[in-house]
Amino acid sequence: MDHGSFWELIEKERHAMWRLCRALTHSYDEAYDLMSDTVLAAYKSFPSLRDKAAFRWFLSTIAVRIQRRRRWRGRLFVSIENASEASYEMTAESSYDLDQLVAALDLLPHREREAIVLFELSGLSIKEIQHIQGGTVSGVKSRMSRARIKLKETLSDDSLDWTESLATTRGNRQVHFPPASIQLQKS
């Protein structure tokens, strides 16, 4: 497969990929970095992809693995935010509903969050998620069921102070990076 078709496939999957990266991370900056790293890794290994129909699964698998590696490294090393005194100001978030969903997703255990995001936002099948996460199909179904129940409870909880929860989710920073503004550059 040539790399020209890679960019066509990336463009078709751009919005789904952004939603996945945003849901797997805790900030827009991390999501942007994850998406960039995913596209780079996918570009490098694109010649090994045999079936274009599996491209979304291919990208999702790469994104999940990169994010898992980052979390693992994060446990070993101090984050840059904690190490430096540098701070920066970002513009206000334009979508309150999206912030609420991300805050609710942050409350889920990692594997449940990953399963629900891969299914609902990336559109992967349960079997594809099982290949990404490992385990069994029934395990994936159980994680998704638990995630849906917890999300429903969290999002319908009127006593939850979303202002405080959203500030915690965003690390007390206001952020903005709408999916429509993502511009992929061809190398």
Side-chain angles (χ1 to χ4, degrees), residues 19-36:
R19 289 190 306 265
L20 172 65
C21 290
R22 181 61 185 107
L24 289 175
T25 60
H26 297 286
S27 73
Y28 284 96
D29 291 335
E30 289 178 29
Y32 184 77
D33 288 344
L34 177 59
M35 187 162 175
S36 297

Side-chain angles (χ1 to χ4, degrees), residues 12-139:
K12 288 178 186 175
E13 297 297 332
R14 180 170 51 104
H15 293 291
M17 194 64 215
W18 171 252
R19 289 190 306 265
L20 172 65
C21 290
R22 181 61 185 107
L24 289 175
T25 60
H26 297 286
S27 73
Y28 284 96
D29 291 335
E30 289 178 29
Y32 184 77
D33 288 344
L34 177 59
M35 187 162 175
S36 297
D37 291 344
T38 300
V39 170
L40 178 62
Y43 184 82
K44 288 178 180 177
S45 60
F46 184 68
S48 67
L49 181 65
R50 294 181 187 147
D51 182 13
K52 286 184 181 181
F55 191 69
R56 182 177 284 189
W57 176 80
F58 175 71
L59 282 176
S60 299
T61 301
I62 292 171
V64 166
R65 289 182 179 164
I66 289 172
Q67 185 60 18
R68 281 182 184 167
R69 232 178 293 129
R70 285 182 178 173
R71 264 195 344 274
W72 176 78
R73 287 182 187 144
R75 288 184 218 135
L76 299 176
F77 304 101
V78 175
S79 71
I80 291 176
E81 289 177 335
N82 293 337
S84 75
E85 296 297 321
S87 65
Y88 54 94
E89 189 67 31
M90 300 183 90
T91 61
E93 169 59 52
S94 63
S95 175
Y96 184 73
D97 290 339
L98 178 61
D99 278 350
Q100 283 183 326
L101 178 60
V102 170
L105 284 168
D106 279 343
L107 299 174
L108 294 176
H110 171 70
R111 292 195 32 103
E112 289 177 13
R113 174 186 173 144
E114 191 176 90
I116 199 76
V117 165
L118 287 170
F119 185 79
E120 297 294 344
L121 297 179
S122 291
L124 296 180
S125 71
I126 292 174
K127 188 72 173 162
E128 290 170 323
I129 296 168
Q130 183 242 340
H131 285 295
I132 292 171
Q133 288 192 320
T136 63
V137 169
S138 63

